[in-house]
Amino acid sequence: MREDRRKGSVGHVRVSEVGKVFARAGRPEIILKDCTFDVLPGRLNVLIGPSGSGKSTLVNLIAGYATPSVGEVEIDGTRVTGPGADRMVVFQETTLFPWMTLIDNIAFGPIQAGVPKLSAHEQARALLSKVGLTGFEHRFTDQVSGGMQRRAEVARALINRPKVLLLDEPFRGLDHMSRGLMQEYFLRLFEDEGITTLFVTSEVDEAILLADRVIVLSYKPTAVKSILDVFLPRPRTFQMQTLPQFAELKGATLQLLYEEALKGFVKGTAASAELDRLMAAQRSMR
Amino acid sequence: MTEVHTGGGRAAERVVRALRDPVLWQGAIGIASFFVVWQVLKWIGLFALLPGPVDVVRAVPQQMEQEGYWLSWLASSRRVFLGFLVAAILAISIGVSMGMSRKLRMAGFPILEVLRPIPPLAWLPLSILFWPSPEATMVFLTFLGAFFPIFINILAGIDRIDIRYIQAARSLGAGQATLFWRVMVPGALPALFTGLSIAIGITWEVVIAAEMASAQLGLGYLTWNAYMSQSLVGIVVGMLSIGVAGMVSSGIMGWIGRNAMPWRRGR
Amino acid sequence: MAVTNSSLGAAQVDGGYDARLRASPDWPVQAGDWRARLRKASRAQALRYALLGFGIFFGLWYLLTAVIVPPRFNYIPNPALLFGQWISEVPQYGISVFIPEYYGHIWVSVLRVYTAFAISVGVGAPLGILLGWSRFGRNTLFPVVEMLRPIPPLAWVPLAVLALPETEMAVIFVTLLASFFATVLNTYLGVRSIPETYFRAAACLGYRRVDVLRRVVIPGALPFIFTGLQIAMGVAWFSLVGGELIAGRSGLGYLILDGYTQLALPNIFIGMITLGVLGWASSALIRKVGELMMAWHVKGQGGGA
Ligand SMILES: Nc1ncnc2c1ncn2[C@@H]1O[C@H](COP(=O)(O)OP(=O)(O)OP(=O)(O)O)[C@@H](O)[C@H]1O
Ligand SMILES: [Mg+2]
C-alpha cells in the first residue's frame, strides 16, 4: 500500500462540472459554476482563490460532507457519496476533540479501524514526534498553542494513511514565524509520505512554496481560471523563495488573482464594504 | 507575582502581599459595613424585631446544640439527594432520547413544554394529597424542581454540539456507538453540568418550602419552627444553615464537574 | 492546458449549465411550489406527532382517573371534569372563567409579580452596572451579594413576615429576592463581558462618564441583561407561589392552597395551569421586548455611525 502511494497511483480526485447553489433568504446564490479539475495522485495540489470564493465549499464536496448541485466528484473512478476514511480533512478551524488528549485524538482513527490500542498509541507517538510534539502527548488540545494544534490535526489525518489529504487553509491565523515553521514541517511530511494532497490557501507565497501544481480559481461565480505547474526542485526549502523562478511564478499567480480580486471588489465583497465603512467613518469624524 | 515560592520567608511575603491585595481589604470593608449597618439599624430601633448580628453570633452555638439540628441537616440533604438523583436519571435518559430521535422529540417535547412553566411549588398541595407520606411529597417536589433545568440543558447541549466534530468523527471511521459515547456524550457534558448545578440550587429552594409546609424535621422545618415560637435568632440561624447547605452542594457539584471534564479545568 | 479548454467549452454552453443548476434540488424555489409544500408537510408532521403526544398524555390521564383509578388517583380530577368545571357557569367549587373571584386571584398574583419584577430590575440593574463598572464597588459589594445569594428566597419568608409591617410586603419581598439577584448577576456579567478595548476607545474619544454609560456599558451589557430579566421573571413566579402558599391570603398560590384545604380538587388544577400559562406568557413577553429592543438598538447604531 505504502509503496503504491509513494509512486503516486492512488488518490486521483476528479472534480467534473461541479456546481453548487445555496439558498440565501430564499434566493439562489450560485457559488460554484462548472468547476472541473483533477487532483493528481502523489502530488501536492494547491487550490488558491480569493476569500469567499467557495474553496471550503469545494473541500466539503470532495470530503463528502455536502453533495454537489450539479456534476460529480470521483476518487480513483469511484463516485463520492459521503465521508469516508479514504479522505481526511484538516479544516481551517481546529476539529481536534477538546475532550481528548492529543494522543487520544490521533489514535482515534486507527482504533476505529480496529488497531489495538497499544499499537495505535505507538503509531500516534511516532507521528507526534515527527511533527515535533513529543512531550505534549497527554495535554488536552486547549492546553497547547494554535500551531501545535494544527500539527496535531495534520498528524491525526495522516495516521489513517488516507488516499487523499484535504487541507483547508490549515495555517490561516498563525503568525508569520509559526506559519513558516509549519510550512517546513508540512513539506517534510509530504515529501516523506507522498500522500496525494489538496491544499487550500489564499496566500500566494505559501501556494508556490508548497505546490507541485497551483489551481487558481476565478470568482463570482467560481470556476477554474488556470492551472500552473511549479517545477521547483524537491525537497523544498524556505530559501527557494528567493529564486528568480519563484518570483516569476508568484508574479503570474498574483496577476491572475488580482484580476479576480478586482472583479470581486467592484461587486461589493466584504472587503469593499469594509472600505466604504471606514471612509464613511472618517467623514463623520471630521 | 509568579516567583517560585520556596522557604518560609517567601511564604510570609506572600501572605503580606495577599493581605495588601485591594480585593481582600475592600471586600472586608464591604462585609464589615454590611454588619455595621445592620447593627446600627438595630440600635436606632428600625426593624426592632430583628436580632442584631451580635445576637445571632452569640446564639449560634446554642442553636446548633438544640435537639434535631444535625438531624435536620441529614433529613434535608437526603430529600435533596434523592429528588435530585431521580431527576438526573430521568432527565438525562429522556433528554438524550429526545436529542437523538426526532419523532420522540416531536411527540414528547410539547407536553414537557406545557408542564415546565408550572412552578414546582404549585404542585405542593396536590402532592400532599397524592403521595402517601410527607417524605415522598418532598422528594417528588425536589424531583420536579430539578428535572426541567437538567432536561432543557442536556437537550440544548446535544443540539449545540459542533457539526464539525461529528463530521470529523465520521471521517475517522466512527460508527454510531462511538459517535454517541466519544463525541455526543463529552460534547454535551458541559451543558449537562450547567443544568445540574442550576438544578441543585433549585432543589434546596424547593425542599425548604416543602419542609415549611409539611415536614417534622429538616432545615426548612427548623426555620419554620423558630418562626412559630417567634425566635428570630432561630430563624436567622436556620436561614444561614440553609445558605451554607446550598453552597456546599454547589461546591460538590462543581468539583464533580471539574473531575468529569478534565479538559475544561484550565478555563 | 486541458482544464482551461474545458472551462472555455463550458462557457459556450452556459445556458445549458444554468439550466442544470436550476434543475438541481439545491435551487430554492418560490412559494407555492413543491418544496414549500414539502416543508409545510414536515411541519404538519411535527403537529401530528405533537397531537399524538398530547393524545397519549390526556388518554392516560383520563384512563387513570376515570376508568381504572388506582389507589390515590382519586385525588386527581379527570380531565373532562376539570375542564368542564373550568368553563362552567355554575362551578361546583366556586371557581371558573365566569366567576370574578378567579380574575381577582389572577390580578393579585400578576400585580405582585410585576411589582416585584419592577423593583428588582430598577434596583438590580443599576447595582449590577455599578458592580461591573467600578472596581471599588465590585470589591466591596460583591462579597456581600455573594454572601446573601445562597440563602433561598423562601427561607426569608418567616423573617419577612415578622419583620415587615404587612403580609403583602412580605410576599412581594420574597418574590423579588430571587429576581433581584438574577438581575444583578447577569447585568454584572454583561458589563464584564464588554472588551476592555471599548473602554479605552471611549477614553480616547474623550467620552464623559455618562456617555460611556449610555453608549458603551448599557448597549454592551444589553443581551446579558435580557437573559437576566428572563431568568428573573421565571424565578419571580417560582417564589411568588411559595410566598403565597406560606403567607398569602389571596392570589393563585392561595387558590391552590385553599383548594387543598377545602378539598376542591379542580381548583388546585385550575390554579396550577393558570400559573403555568401566566409564567409562560410573561417570559414570552420579555423575550419579545428583548428582541425588539435589540433590533432597535442595532438599527440605531447602523444609522448613527
Ligand atoms: N451552507 C451554506 N449556506 C449558504 N451559503 C453558504 C453555505 N456555505 C457557504 N456559503 C456561502 O458560500 C460562499 C463561499 O463560502 P466558502 O466558505 O466556501 O468560501 P471560502 O473560499 O472558503 O472563503 P474563506 O476564504 O473565507 O474561507 C460564501 O459566500 C458563503 O457565505
Ligand atoms: Mg474557507
Side-chain angles (χ1 to χ4, degrees):
Chain A
M1 265 310 238
R2 188 176 177 125
E3 291 317 303
D4 274 348
R5 285 177 193 186
R6 271 188 167 291
K7 274 182 254 140
S9 59
V10 209
H12 187 132
V13 180
R14 168 161 287 163
V15 175
S16 31
E17 299 181 4
V18 160
K20 186 71 186 170
V21 190
F22 284 118
R24 176 167 295 182
R27 305 267 287 282
E29 191 176 332
I30 302 174
I31 301 297
L32 302 176
K33 188 169 174 181
D34 205 2
C35 281
T36 301
F37 63 89
D38 289 78
V39 176
L40 294 185
R43 306 281 195 84
L44 210 167
N45 305 261
V46 169
L47 191 70
I48 190 167
S51 184
S53 56
K55 304 182 295 294
S56 301
T57 307
L58 261 171
V59 170
N60 279 330
L61 293 179
I62 298 174
Y65 297 145
T67 47
S69 309
V70 175
E72 61 180 22
V73 180
E74 286 176 355
I75 295 190
D76 293 334
T78 318
R79 186 172 176 161
V80 168
T81 51
D86 55 343
R87 287 146 288 149
M88 285 294 147
V89 192
V90 175
F91 288 103
Q92 60 192 49
E93 310 92 0
T94 181
T95 59
L96 290 171
F97 303 120
W99 47 84
M100 294 183 198
T101 55
L102 288 189
I103 194 149
D104 283 335
N105 259 295
I106 291 164
F108 186 86
I111 288 175
Q112 292 314 310
V115 178
K117 189 171 172 182
L118 269 181
S119 65
H121 274 219
E122 209 165 287
Q123 285 177 31
R125 213 165 276 128
L127 206 55
L128 275 170
S129 84
K130 223 171 188 174
V131 293
L133 287 173
T134 304
F136 294 96
E137 292 92 343
H138 299 293
R139 296 277 189 97
F140 285 107
T141 58
D142 284 358
Q143 297 166 344
V144 299
S145 72
M148 291 177 178
Q149 286 179 7
R150 309 315 305 169
R151 277 181 271 162
E153 192 134 11
V154 172
R156 181 174 76 171
L158 272 180
I159 198 171
N160 301 288
R161 304 212 52 77
K163 288 184 180 173
V164 191
L165 186 60
L166 303 165
L167 301 115
D168 186 1
E169 304 196 51
F171 307 147
R172 180 169 173 167
L174 296 180
D175 63 90
H176 196 75
M177 280 304 295
S178 21
R179 196 169 184 141
L181 275 174
M182 297 295 298
Q183 289 162 353
E184 291 251 317
Y185 267 116
F186 185 71
L187 278 170
R188 296 297 83 78
L189 270 178
F190 172 76
E191 282 155 9
D192 269 15
E193 311 269 331
I195 288 181
T196 309
T197 302
L198 181 68
F199 190 107
V200 174
T201 184
S202 46
E203 293 273 311
V204 178
D205 287 302
E206 184 170 78
I208 296 166
L209 178 65
L210 299 179
D212 293 313
R213 332 161 55 224
V214 179
I215 303 161
V216 184
L217 294 178
S218 65
Y219 192 33
K220 293 260 166 172
T222 298
V224 175
K225 188 173 173 79
S226 170
I227 295 180
L228 307 168
D229 286 307
V230 180
F231 290 118
L232 293 169
R234 286 199 188 272
R236 295 276 167 83
T237 61
F238 223 72
Q239 287 73 29
M240 288 181 185
Q241 297 194 29
T242 55
L243 293 176
Q245 238 179 318
F246 189 97
E248 210 172 287
L249 276 164
K250 187 175 168 180
T253 317
L254 277 175
Q255 180 59 39
L256 290 167
L257 283 172
Y258 180 71
E259 289 165 17
E260 291 308 314
L262 210 61
K263 239 164 69 184
F265 208 70
V266 176
K267 282 183 183 166
T269 54
S272 74
E274 178 75 15
L275 190 73
D276 287 347
R277 214 178 48 76
L278 281 174
M279 294 183 49
Q282 282 222 320
R283 272 198 301 279
S284 74
M285 293 276 275
R286 259 183 239 130
Chain B
M1 283 301 236
T2 53
E3 79 255 41
V4 188
H5 26 77
T6 45
R10 286 296 172 110
E13 195 176 301
R14 267 189 312 145
V15 170
V16 170
R17 187 166 297 177
L19 282 178
R20 268 203 226 121
D21 186 357
V23 176
L24 201 77
W25 62 260
Q26 288 176 356
I29 290 182
I31 294 200
S33 6
F34 171 78
F35 285 113
V36 168
V37 168
W38 179 3
Q39 186 71 54
V40 166
L41 280 181
K42 168 86 181 149
W43 281 331
I44 294 175
L46 265 172
F47 300 112
L49 271 169
L50 224 61
V54 180
D55 308 326
V56 173
V57 170
R58 272 208 211 107
V60 166
Q62 175 214 332
Q63 289 286 332
M64 281 168 61
E65 272 163 28
Q66 76 175 294
E67 195 190 355
Y69 179 78
W70 294 110
L71 280 179
S72 291
W73 270 83
L74 197 68
S76 296
S77 309
R78 214 189 49 218
R79 289 164 193 150
V80 163
F81 178 75
L82 278 179
F84 182 80
L85 192 70
V86 177
I89 291 170
L90 276 181
I92 292 172
S93 27
I94 297 178
V96 168
S97 338
M98 284 191 186
M100 306 297 266
S101 152
R102 220 170 68 88
K103 289 182 178 169
L104 202 62
R105 185 173 182 156
M106 285 190 295
F109 191 67
I111 299 175
L112 291 173
E113 276 302 280
V114 167
L115 293 178
R116 191 160 67 101
I118 300 176
L121 287 176
W123 293 82
L124 178 65
L126 178 69
S127 317
I128 297 176
L129 290 176
F130 183 78
W131 293 102
S133 73
E135 209 54 39
T137 300
M138 284 180 279
V139 173
F140 175 70
L141 281 191
T142 43
F143 156 78
L144 270 182
F147 177 82
F148 286 106
I150 304 175
F151 169 73
I152 288 297
N153 275 283
I154 191 155
L155 204 57
I158 291 174
D159 284 352
R160 258 185 250 140
I161 293 174
D162 198 328
I163 180 81
R164 288 173 310 132
Y165 292 138
I166 296 169
Q167 289 178 339
R170 282 214 295 159
S171 276
L172 292 167
Q176 284 299 317
T178 317
L179 205 60
F180 180 77
W181 286 109
R182 305 294 311 272
V183 180
M184 306 296 261
V185 168
L189 222 48
L192 172 64
F193 272 96
T194 308
L196 291 178
S197 38
I198 297 174
I200 196 85
I202 294 183
T203 51
W204 275 104
E205 307 215 357
V206 175
V207 92
I208 293 311
E211 286 175 351
M212 286 185 177
S214 68
Q216 299 306 317
L217 202 61
L219 292 174
Y221 170 75
L222 206 70
T223 314
W224 188 249
N225 204 27
Y227 164 72
M228 288 313 224
S229 55
Q230 303 268 317
S231 153
L232 277 137
V233 180
I235 294 180
V236 175
V237 171
M239 285 168 64
L240 292 178
S241 309
I242 293 163
V244 171
M247 262 160 62
V248 170
S249 325
S250 315
I252 294 174
M253 211 62 241
W255 181 83
I256 296 176
R258 278 192 301 282
N259 282 287
M261 303 181 290
W263 67 93
R264 288 168 70 88
R265 240 181 241 162
R267 302 235 168 129
Chain C
M1 265 177 259
V3 174
T4 324
N5 279 344
S6 92
S7 71
L8 270 180
Q12 281 157 10
V13 290
D14 200 33
Y17 197 85
D18 272 353
R20 285 171 67 190
L21 272 176
R22 220 165 292 131
S24 83
D26 289 339
W27 191 276
V29 204
Q30 276 22 95
D33 56 23
W34 66 271
R35 285 198 122 233
R37 256 181 282 142
L38 199 74
R39 231 175 297 134
K40 226 187 262 169
S42 85
R43 225 173 294 145
Q45 190 196 16
L47 187 70
R48 258 205 325 277
Y49 273 93
L51 285 178
L52 176 75
F54 278 112
I56 294 175
F57 177 75
F58 282 106
L60 270 180
W61 182 358
Y62 189 82
L63 190 74
L64 289 175
T65 53
V67 185
I68 307 180
V69 200
R72 310 200 73 84
F73 275 76
N74 54 332
Y75 287 115
I76 302 174
N78 81 60
L81 174 80
L82 169 62
F83 291 103
Q85 286 290 311
W86 204 343
I87 54 169
S88 151
E89 285 193 47
V90 278
Q92 206 181 331
Y93 301 102
I95 291 292
S96 82
V97 291
F98 293 104
I99 308 293
E101 196 189 332
Y102 176 52
Y103 300 100
H105 287 304
I106 292 180
W107 171 243
V108 168
S109 287
V110 168
L111 200 64
R112 281 172 183 158
V113 163
Y114 280 81
T115 311
F117 182 74
I119 296 173
S120 66
V121 172
V123 183
L127 182 61
I129 287 177
L130 180 73
L131 286 179
W133 197 15
S134 141
R135 187 187 300 268
F136 182 75
R138 172 161 68 247
N139 286 347
T140 49
L141 291 178
F142 208 62
V144 179
V145 171
E146 283 300 290
M147 184 176 66
L148 296 178
R149 203 166 58 94
I151 302 174
L154 295 169
W156 288 84
V157 172
L159 193 68
V161 172
L162 287 180
L164 293 170
E166 276 178 64
T167 318
E168 190 60 29
M169 281 169 78
V171 174
I172 290 180
F173 175 73
V174 168
T175 308
L176 76 77
L177 263 178
S179 42
F180 171 75
F181 285 120
T183 316
V184 172
L185 219 66
N186 280 281
T187 313
Y188 163 77
L189 289 176
V191 178
R192 296 302 306 249
S193 76
I194 301 170
E196 188 58 35
T197 45
Y198 287 19
F199 288 100
R200 291 202 197 118
C204 286
L205 290 169
Y207 277 17
R208 288 167 303 154
R209 297 279 282 179
V210 198
D211 290 328
V212 180
L213 181 70
R214 206 165 51 91
R215 302 179 61 167
V216 180
V217 174
I218 293 180
L222 210 57
F224 276 79
I225 295 181
F226 269 101
T227 313
L229 295 191
Q230 268 191 56
I231 299 173
M233 190 48 105
V235 293
W237 280 103
F238 175 103
S239 320
L240 170 88
V241 178
E244 287 182 344
L245 278 179
I246 301 174
R249 296 286 168 272
S250 56
L252 289 163
Y254 175 76
L255 173 66
I256 295 175
L257 185 69
D258 191 54
Y260 164 73
T261 44
Q262 313 284 331
L263 227 67
L265 299 173
N267 290 3
I268 296 182
F269 276 77
I270 292 174
M272 283 168 65
I273 298 172
T274 311
L275 273 169
V277 171
L278 289 174
W280 176 83
S282 304
S283 301
L285 183 72
I286 302 242
R287 198 161 46 237
K288 265 260 105 59
V289 172
E291 276 163 18
L292 284 178
M293 288 262 301
M294 236 83 88
W296 166 77
H297 192 80
V298 169
K299 231 189 271 164
Q301 271 196 331

